[in-house]
Amino acid sequence: GVTGSIAAYKACEIASTLTKAGVNVTAVMTRSAQQLVGPATFEGLTGNRVIRDMVESGQNANIDHIAVSNSADLFLVAPATANILGKAAQGIADDWLSTALLVTHAPILFAPAMNTNMYTHPAVQENIATLKQRGCQFVGPDAGRLACNTVGPGRLIEPAEIVEAVWDLLKRSDTLAGKHILLTTGANHEPIDPVRYIGNRSSGKMGLAIAQEALQRGAKVTIITGPSDVTLPPEARVIEVQTAQEMSNAVMVHMDEADVIIGAAAVADYRVTHPSDEKHKRSTTALNIELTENPDIIGTVGAQKREGQVVIGFAAETHDLIAHAQEKLNKKHLDLIVANRVGTSDSGFGRDTTDAQFLFRDGTVEQHPVIRKRELADLLMSHIVELLSKHTTLPASPQSGNPEVSAERP
Ligand code: CTP
């Protein structure tokens, strides 16, 4: 995708380098990009017909944008103007490129290029944040003297770095192909009577991020979800449940098919022992409700997992984070636990960001300060690829030892 920035000519070098390296490149040019570089240049460099803005030329009537968008392994928009970022973030589809960006399921990489004041404007920064939250990747921009003579961030990053970012994304796009990930997510609603329930604050955002990242890497994804605030991807198989017992039953039915089982749900630890068939009436005396313990879903999976299966849990804690997470890692026979603080302003339930500590069976801890849930899911996928390749699933036995902090995210 080439848009109307003065840096559009640099896209020629990107198209040429990728084509020479064996990538099948199709250039899509917006109307303003065509005023800066001739489509014939891209046609010559890529050997493919250039797709031009569909409104203006009418030449693309025979190009099915859905088919083309679906066949792409990656969408690179370089240079990406403030305009295309705004359209992509807001879902506006008024030309070929912006329409294709809504259609494609391929990873999208933007290389922004614009005037510094535009780049730092809150409107643009908010659009970038929205796109990142949806899993779009960004490379650049660089800082320096711009064509408009201002100095600051906004210059298109060097083509070589853009090509490097393309390789990174293409390489990882099939790293989980053929693998099946089973994921629990959302909250549980434990009925008190036909109208009321016991619930919790889980939004399901973390589970959504995990599912999206797993799908992007080519995994088959089954999601067993309790009530949540998010819309789950249609490419995943989604099984909806309400209670912890229903969630547990569904996990037990599907766990054998899975290579990786991730417990991201905020499972209700207790259910009402005797939910009433009739609505409780108000009375002047105190109401006591007896609770019964629910099954520990991921703990049961950890204890029953077969050789080679990877089991991952989450630990949301308000205090003694590492100690509690370490205890859960051991008790539930997990290969990895992701611990995070809840109850702070930038971490936990309902938020887009979280802090995270990855605790592994060998006692190492990887610390990450506040990051987006989508970034956390990305890191998690990289660890899953590693765990699957090493087959490091240890036998289900408790392990002692103090965790040691091994890595701090830069
Ligand atoms: N979990 C589960 N079944 C339960 C409780 C928790 O599968 N009945 C899973 C969660 O999905 C998460 C991990 O276990 O992956 C830890 O959940 P958490 O609620 O932090 O731990 P609990 O074992 O419930 O301990 P506590 O509530 O006492 O902190």
Side-chain angles (χ1 to χ4, degrees):
V2 187
T3 66
S5 150
I6 198 76
Y9 71 96
K10 293 190 184 172
C12 300
E13 189 183 333
I14 300 166
S16 164
T17 309
L18 291 172
T19 305
K20 281 183 197 151
V23 178
N24 186 5
V25 180
T26 297
V28 181
M29 300 186 77
T30 62
R31 260 180 294 175
S32 32
Q34 289 169 56
Q35 287 165 9
L36 295 156
V37 187
T41 308
F42 283 102
E43 251 156 32
L45 291 171
T46 64
N48 283 328
R49 190 172 152 198
V50 168
I51 299 176
R52 304 188 204 182
D53 183 285
M54 59 186 174
V55 180
E56 171 142 310
S57 64
Q59 288 180 13
N60 294 306
N62 58 345
I63 297 181
D64 176 353
H65 62 271
I66 297 195
V68 175
S69 309
N70 281 340
S71 70
D73 299 299
L74 177 83
F75 252 91
L76 165 67
V77 185
T81 55
N83 188 43
I84 192 69
L85 295 177
K87 289 201 281 189
Q90 305 306 320
I92 295 169
D94 65 350
D95 63 6
W96 206 99
L97 181 58
S98 51
T99 306
L101 291 175
L102 286 186
V103 172
T104 189
H105 288 303
I108 302 175
L109 174 64
F110 289 104
M114 67 197 77
N115 162 274
T116 299
N117 290 352
M118 289 171 80
Y119 181 69
T120 53
H121 195 285
V124 173
Q125 288 301 314
E126 276 166 31
N127 287 334
I128 290 174
T130 302
L131 291 166
K132 281 186 177 168
Q133 182 54 36
R134 288 192 204 130
C136 295
Q137 306 284 325
F138 282 77
V139 55
D142 241 345
R145 183 166 293 280
L146 304 178
C148 53
N149 257 337
T150 48
V151 179
R155 194 170 67 182
L156 185 75
I157 198 159
E158 284 307 312
E161 291 196 48
I162 296 173
V163 169
E164 202 48 47
V166 167
W167 287 138
D168 280 352
L169 279 171
L170 285 177
K171 259 189 288 176
R172 72 172 200 198
S173 63
D174 60 353
T175 45
L176 286 172
K179 299 294 178 196
H180 184 179
I181 294 186
L182 176 66
L183 168 71
T184 68
T185 184
N188 290 132
H189 286 180
E190 298 293 341
I192 297 170
D193 67 19
V195 208
R196 301 162 178 113
Y197 59 81
I198 299 176
N200 62 60
R201 294 183 199 279
S202 172
S203 63
K205 284 184 177 177
M206 192 64 240
L208 171 64
I210 293 169
Q212 287 170 325
E213 289 294 333
L215 288 165
Q216 271 206 358
R217 284 165 180 73
K220 176 179 168 191
V221 178
T222 299
I223 309 173
I224 297 167
T225 181
S228 85
D229 302 339
V230 297
T231 306
L232 292 165
E235 302 92 327
R237 173 167 58 162
V238 178
I239 299 164
E240 291 180 3
V241 296
Q242 292 283 320
T243 66
Q245 189 62 60
E246 289 166 5
M247 185 172 268
S248 175
N249 295 344
V251 169
M252 295 310 138
V253 167
H254 295 285
M255 76 169 272
D256 281 350
E257 312 156 14
D259 300 289
V260 182
I261 299 137
I262 306 175
V267 182
D269 285 332
Y270 295 90
R271 64 179 176 275
V272 176
T273 312
H274 303 293
S276 169
D277 290 338
E278 292 175 358
K279 188 182 168 201
H280 279 287
K281 298 310 284 177
R282 179 202 283 265
S283 86
T284 48
T285 52
L287 175 67
N288 291 309
I289 298 175
E290 189 189 272
L291 301 177
T292 302
E293 206 186 339
N294 272 327
D296 181 341
I297 303 172
I298 210 75
T300 310
V301 169
Q304 293 182 5
K305 74 180 172 190
R306 62 173 154 72
E307 180 85 34
Q309 260 180 335
V310 171
V311 184
I312 297 171
F314 276 75
E317 308 288 346
T318 53
H319 60 285
D320 296 332
L321 182 73
I322 299 287
H324 285 313
Q326 184 73 39
E327 200 188 312
K328 286 174 190 174
L329 177 80
N330 295 334
K331 200 173 81 187
K332 295 174 191 257
H333 317 297
L334 306 174
D335 297 290
L336 164 62
I337 193 159
V338 185
N340 71 308
R341 285 172 301 124
V342 284
T344 67
S345 60
D346 49 14
S347 183
F349 293 131
R351 314 220 172 265
D352 292 328
T353 54
T354 183
D355 67 299
Q357 329 274 330
F358 288 71
L359 279 75
F360 297 86
R361 291 300 297 242
D362 65 3
T364 54
V365 179
E366 188 182 286
Q367 294 191 330
H368 299 277
V370 176
I371 53 173
R372 290 176 185 283
K373 288 184 174 169
R374 195 68 196 252
E375 274 179 82
L376 171 58
D378 179 29
L379 290 166
L380 182 61
M381 290 306 132
S382 304
H383 284 306
I384 287 173
V385 171
E386 229 169 276
L387 285 166
L388 283 169
S389 72
K390 283 198 219 150
H391 278 280
T392 52
T393 45
L394 301 176
S397 66
Q399 184 189 314
S400 60
N402 280 333
E404 136 208 339
V405 175
S406 71
E408 181 96 29
R409 191 182 153 83

